[in-house]
Amino acid sequence: MLMQDIQSLNFEPLRAAYADLANMGGYAEHYAYSDAESALVKLRNMAERMVDHIYTKLRLPKAPVSNFKDLLDNASFRIVAEQLVLDKFHLLRKLGNKAAHGEQVQISDALRCLHECWQLARWLHVTFNGGKLADFADYQEPPQEG
C-alpha cells in the first residue's frame, strides 16, 4: 500500500530520490503533538528504510533474515556509519519500539527524534546522494496543530 504524499517541513530535499522517506517525515511531523506514539513509530520505520536504502545502494552483505538491530550492528554497515550516526539510528529504533509496544512516550521524545531523524536525512542526502547540506533549510519544529 502506498502512502499518500504529505508535505514536510524538514524532509522535502529527500523527495526526489526517496519520496517514501519525505512522506514518512511529513507524517511524523504532523502527529508529533497529537499522537507522539504514531510519530515515533513512523520515525522508526523511516530510520529502518534509510538503512535499507543504504544497504541497497552500496550492496552491503546481510543475513537473509535481519531485523533493524542486526542491520545496524552488521560489520559492513558499521564501516559506513560512524558511531554518532549509529547512536541516532539506535535512539530512533528504541523509542520507536517503545511506542509500538504501548510503553509510555512523551511529545518531547517525538520532537527529539524528529530532529535526530532530520540530521540523519541530511547525512543520507550528502553522503549517498551527492547532495549538499545547503539543500536542507534549518530544522523547523512542527506546529502544535499539525
Side-chain angles (χ1 to χ4, degrees):
M1 184 171 105
L2 291 177
M3 196 178 332
Q4 183 178 357
D5 285 349
I6 184 170
Q7 187 75 24
S8 164
L9 290 173
N10 297 296
F11 300 99
E12 285 306 308
L14 294 178
R15 188 165 301 280
Y18 304 117
D20 59 333
L21 299 179
N23 286 328
M24 288 178 173
Y27 278 102
E29 290 168 342
H30 182 75
Y31 290 113
Y33 286 97
S34 64
D35 188 354
E37 293 85 1
S38 293
L40 285 163
V41 169
K42 193 61 77 179
L43 290 168
R44 187 229 181 266
N45 289 342
M46 183 177 174
E48 186 167 9
R49 191 84 54 95
M50 281 187 212
V51 170
D52 286 339
H53 285 307
I54 294 166
Y55 268 85
T56 300
K57 185 167 190 105
L58 299 180
R59 296 186 180 117
L60 297 177
K62 63 181 176 179
V65 180
S66 298
N67 63 33
F68 190 19
K69 184 176 185 317
D70 295 335
L71 295 174
L72 294 174
D73 291 341
N74 187 325
S76 62
F77 189 75
R78 294 181 68 82
I79 291 169
V80 172
E82 61 190 46
Q83 191 59 49
L84 179 63
V85 169
L86 292 169
D87 291 345
K88 290 176 185 303
F89 277 123
H90 279 295
L91 174 72
L92 292 166
R93 177 185 63 79
K94 289 175 184 176
L95 285 174
N97 285 349
K98 192 174 175 181
H101 295 289
E103 295 181 40
Q104 183 79 18
V105 294
Q106 305 297 320
I107 292 169
S108 61
D109 295 326
L111 294 174
R112 176 183 178 198
C113 285
L114 266 170
H115 190 253
E116 298 288 341
C117 201
W118 172 79
Q119 292 173 337
L120 288 170
R122 291 188 323 159
W123 172 77
L124 176 76
H125 180 70
V126 171
T127 305
F128 300 102
N129 290 346
K132 297 180 178 91
L133 281 178
D135 296 338
F136 278 77
D138 290 340
Y139 176 77
Q140 297 178 58
E141 191 168 290
Q144 289 189 18
E145 63 274 4

